[in-house]
Amino acid sequence: MSNADIQRRNFLKTTLGAAAVAIAPGMLLFEAAQAKSDGADSKVRWGMLIDTALCKEGCNDCVNACSRENGWKNNNLPTDPQWMRKINIKDISSGREISLPMMCQHCAHPPCVDVCPTAASFKRADGIVLVDKHRCIGCRYCMMACPYKARSFVHEPLHDQNPDVPRGKGTVESCTLCVHRIDQGQQPACTEACTNQAILFGNLNDPESAIAKKILSVASVQVRADLQLNPGIRYQGL
Amino acid sequence: MPSLSSLHFKNRLFYVLLAAGGLVALAGLYAVHMMESHGHIISGMNNQIVWGIPHVFAIFLIVAASGVLNVASIGSVFGKAIYKARAPLASLLSIAMLAGGLTVLMLDLGRPDRIIVAATNYNLTSVFAWNVVLYSGMFSLVVLYLWTMMEQRMNPWNKPAGLAVFAWRFILTTGTGLIFAFLTARQAYGSAVLPPMFIVLSFAWGLAVFHVVQANIYAWNEKQLDPAIMNRKKNLLGVFVIGSLYMVAVYHLTNLYFSHRVGFEHFILRDGGIYTNLFWWGYVLLGNLVPLALIYLPGLGKGKCVMLASLLVIFGAFALLYVFIIGGQAYPLDIFPGYEVHSSFGDGQIASYTPSIYEFLLGFGGLAIAFIITTVSVRVLNFMPQDKAYIAD
């Protein structure tokens, strides 16, 4: 074998080795990215059971936790976003008063998803209703369609956003059920913050879950059940 | 034959009108720029009143754009000669108003820069998405229809094109009504009466706009409209006004029959302040009863009366849309029927709305676009109705 041949072989070997070293991390990253995009599990239906008897009037712990976690601020202007709010209601005939948190009810048949022209409003396989902030054109039709007034429009430029919760001026937003926390195995911020244990979060489809067991044993209702949207949020004592 | 000096004067007037329209359109663009950079915070809209003055202007323009084609349809589909002579002008007005209305609607979006997303991501269940197809289809069909009228070789296709436009505009206005009819949770909307109501409203509003434009074109060309033709068309306007008043009455009366909507109806018809006043004084009296008197009272019904009646019908249209769109949102959603409700988010409260100057600039910008398209087209192409000696048909 001539010297030139050996040199050529060595050159090819080195080149191939260098190429492998260069490509390998990229391939590993590709694998990792693939592994991450498994998506939500359609066997799961996330939901909440809110016990109005335990929810105290004047207590805003859940709302404040939501605001901190998701980076929205309410200064009591009608243009301010409110992903979550406390509502005080009084039965007109009996005078009975109840206080409860209200937010996106994560309907099984969400009207916001039906009316959205660009499919920016969508429902994840696990029942969480979200807005794709890159697709939303800001037409606000979903806000007109939502029976719970759960959505807000971002009226002003935003600063210092939470990287886990992207938001955008000119788009519509609402409670995400803290999807970024759920995907890491955590509970929504409001559930964790409620010192009265009024909010029970879990998988409605799992018969062994605490929420499914409780829904079996106590009377609970969905708000505006007459609309047959099958919300994932249920209220006890309403 | 107009004199040379009058031609010079008209020539200059044309450019003055064009410049005025351009300035208003520019002011609209300025409003868009401001809303783009500051956000909708500078508009009067908020999380309770999510659609405001721009939507009143846009929906008026879109509904009237459909209705004005009635003039063309009566000509092409039902073969009435005096209407056929006016079909090109009606088609032009339709295109102009559709362009103006859609511009307002698009530029009011929170992210107008993403409008292409509406074409690339299409949600089949959304009536808004259907309307994207309906509006663009309408543009194409009306342009085609105009071509069959203005190009002699295409004349044989005029009737089928006219039929297609006739069918399409019914579907289009149905689509506009459905935007509201599909909102089941809101007391003001969610009614199957709305699509036919919008269709009948479109007849009256479109014809009123047509009358105003036609009167100006005749005056510009120093011609007189045959009184017999004027008589027929004012009677048609009268019938449409009665029809639209009837549909609005049916909408409110059916609402009054449902106990869960009585509160909303009392708000609009009795306790709603600006909304109640605009409804009774603005829409019912000035927008319907006075025009009907101007059309039908003995001794009235001549050129100026019809012009005034048409202007009042247009004013009434804006009053009704303000009440319908903004009043409908101002009344709170009934999330907990049977309960008194309070919250930091305006639950249970009548929402307040003060439109800002930017919203009006945007709305008038849309009108200006329709005005510019009409003015330029009427000057460069022949849209002047050419009547033969009038014979009743």
Side-chain angles (χ1 to χ4, degrees):
Chain A
M1 201 181 284
S2 73
N3 197 27
D5 278 346
I6 291 169
Q7 271 188 353
R8 193 181 67 207
R9 284 185 180 193
N10 282 340
F11 171 74
L12 284 173
K13 276 185 205 163
T14 320
T15 312
L16 276 174
V21 170
I23 292 168
M27 292 304 286
L28 286 173
L29 269 178
F30 186 68
E31 286 286 311
Q34 287 290 307
K36 257 192 174 174
S37 68
D38 273 352
D41 186 352
S42 60
K43 293 192 192 82
V44 175
R45 169 113 201 257
W46 296 117
M48 282 178 175
L49 177 64
I50 294 164
D51 188 345
T52 57
L54 298 177
C55 184
K56 299 280 175 284
E57 190 179 336
C59 170
N60 265 311
D61 288 354
C62 55
V63 178
N64 294 336
C66 176
S67 164
R68 267 194 311 277
E69 179 69 32
N70 296 298
W72 56 268
K73 279 181 193 70
N74 169 31
N75 296 314
N76 282 323
L77 290 173
T79 42
D80 286 338
Q82 293 200 37
W83 291 24
M84 188 179 204
R85 64 193 190 271
K86 280 293 294 290
I87 301 190
N88 298 318
I89 62 174
K90 183 179 171 186
D91 190 325
I92 294 168
S93 49
S94 69
R96 178 170 166 253
E97 292 185 40
I98 300 167
S99 182
L100 49 83
M102 175 54 64
M103 60 286 191
C104 173
Q105 301 287 292
H106 299 280
C107 308
H109 311 291
C112 55
V113 173
D114 287 343
V115 301
C116 178
T118 61
S121 283
F122 68 102
K123 192 180 69 162
R124 257 180 34 153
D126 55 6
I128 302 178
V129 176
L130 297 170
V131 180
D132 183 337
K133 303 292 170 16
H134 299 286
R135 259 192 202 191
C136 176
I137 56 174
C139 72
R140 286 104 78 200
Y141 197 17
C142 56
M143 297 174 75
M144 292 289 277
C146 176
Y148 307 102
K149 206 181 166 189
R151 293 200 156 185
S152 303
F153 180 69
V154 183
H155 286 81
E156 290 175 277
L158 298 165
H159 309 284
D160 304 325
Q161 295 194 47
N162 175 356
D164 281 337
V165 189
R167 303 172 61 211
K169 184 195 85 181
T171 63
V172 175
E173 54 185 22
S174 59
C175 156
T176 64
L177 216 58
C178 283
V179 66
H180 57 291
R181 293 169 62 96
I182 292 176
D183 284 349
Q184 288 168 358
Q186 295 173 293
Q187 301 233 333
C190 58
T191 309
E192 213 168 76
C194 181
T195 45
N196 302 315
Q197 313 280 316
I199 305 175
L200 180 60
F201 167 81
N203 177 5
L204 297 166
N205 283 351
D206 175 9
E208 295 307 311
S209 69
I211 187 168
K213 283 180 181 165
K214 194 156 182 195
I215 284 171
L216 262 184
S217 59
V218 300
S220 65
V221 294
Q222 296 163 319
V223 176
R224 289 303 308 264
D226 57 316
L227 297 173
Q228 304 200 350
L229 305 173
N230 187 11
I233 313 290
R234 303 184 71 97
Y235 291 84
Q236 187 184 341
L238 195 61
Chain B
M1 189 80 182
S3 67
L4 200 61
S5 63
S6 113
L7 277 177
H8 277 306
F9 170 72
K10 277 185 186 167
N11 211 17
R12 286 169 93 172
L13 186 60
F14 168 73
Y15 286 108
V16 169
L17 285 175
L18 207 60
L23 271 179
V24 178
L26 267 181
L29 279 178
Y30 168 73
V32 173
H33 166 71
M34 290 298 282
M35 281 212 263
E36 266 286 270
S37 38
H38 295 271
H40 275 59
I41 190 86
I42 61 164
S43 76
M45 293 176 271
N46 52 51
N47 284 324
Q48 281 73 45
I49 309 282
V50 302
W51 290 349
I53 282 290
H55 301 80
V56 171
F57 276 80
I59 292 176
F60 170 77
L61 284 167
I62 291 167
V63 171
S66 152
V68 75
L69 282 169
N70 225 31
V71 175
S73 299
I74 298 173
S76 285
V77 179
F78 302 109
K80 305 285 177 194
I82 65 157
Y83 290 97
K84 206 161 183 176
R86 282 157 182 79
L89 179 59
S91 307
L92 168 68
L93 285 175
S94 175
I95 290 177
M97 287 196 281
L98 202 55
L102 290 182
T103 307
V104 175
L105 215 51
M106 283 194 285
L107 293 179
D108 174 72
L109 293 174
R111 294 295 305 256
D113 53 314
R114 286 184 185 164
I115 189 64
I116 193 69
V117 178
T120 54
N121 290 290
Y122 194 80
N123 180 13
L124 281 174
T125 60
S126 168
V127 59
F128 256 17
W130 303 349
N131 281 340
V132 172
V133 174
L134 288 173
Y135 296 150
S136 40
M138 179 90 158
F139 257 121
S140 326
L141 269 182
V142 177
V143 168
L144 196 74
Y145 179 52
L146 263 177
W147 190 32
T148 66
M149 287 187 285
M150 302 187 101
E151 165 63 57
Q152 232 165 14
R153 284 172 302 167
M154 292 297 291
N155 282 168
W157 295 96
N158 178 241
K159 183 121 187 173
L163 267 172
V165 167
F166 178 66
W168 198 274
R169 74 190 176 81
F170 268 96
I171 302 171
L172 178 125
T173 318
T174 302
T176 310
L178 285 179
I179 292 173
F180 297 97
F182 282 173
L183 300 173
T184 53
R186 290 192 182 253
Q187 295 91 316
Y189 313 123
S191 163
V193 171
L194 295 179
M197 182 178 102
F198 269 86
I199 289 176
V200 180
L201 288 170
S202 82
F203 292 174
W205 300 352
L207 192 56
V209 170
F210 186 86
H211 274 164
V212 172
V213 175
Q214 178 180 251
N216 279 307
I217 291 180
Y218 270 80
W220 182 275
N221 288 296
E222 293 166 25
K223 287 190 178 174
Q224 279 279 316
L225 181 61
D226 186 336
I229 296 176
M230 165 64 91
N231 199 40
R232 259 182 89 163
K233 298 196 62 249
K234 70 143 199 189
N235 284 340
L236 187 66
L237 181 66
V239 170
F240 287 163
V241 168
I242 293 169
S244 55
L245 194 56
Y246 166 76
M247 291 304 290
V248 172
V250 168
Y251 158 71
H252 285 290
L253 288 172
T254 45
N255 269 351
L256 270 172
Y257 201 78
F258 305 143
S259 56
H260 64 278
R261 290 192 170 188
V262 167
F264 166 71
E265 283 303 328
H266 283 171
F267 171 67
I268 294 293
L269 303 179
R270 198 184 64 197
D271 312 321
I274 171 112
Y275 306 109
T276 306
N277 285 326
L278 269 179
F279 181 77
W280 290 113
W281 302 114
Y283 176 65
V284 176
L285 184 70
L286 289 176
N288 287 275
L289 300 181
V290 175
L292 285 177
L294 285 168
I295 290 169
Y296 288 121
L297 276 188
L300 299 176
K302 301 285 178 307
K304 282 207 172 115
C305 289
V306 177
M307 178 74 166
L308 183 59
S310 301
L311 285 171
L312 283 173
V313 167
I314 296 170
F315 169 78
F318 278 89
L320 179 71
L321 284 173
Y322 191 93
V323 173
F324 181 72
I325 298 172
I326 294 159
Q329 296 171 80
Y331 192 75
L333 265 174
D334 201 7
I335 305 176
F336 297 96
Y339 287 87
E340 269 177 28
V341 182
H342 293 284
S343 82
S344 57
F345 206 39
D347 290 284
Q349 311 289 314
I350 304 292
S352 68
Y353 170 69
T354 315
S356 80
I357 181 76
Y358 300 104
E359 289 173 84
F360 279 108
L361 289 181
L362 178 55
F364 278 107
L367 290 183
I369 288 171
F371 174 78
I372 292 169
I373 293 176
T374 310
T375 312
V376 172
S377 306
V378 164
R379 187 173 166 90
V380 298
L381 292 168
N382 183 18
F383 284 100
M384 175 75 196
Q386 308 290 334
D387 286 308
K388 300 190 181 86
Y390 176 65
I391 307 157
D393 46 7

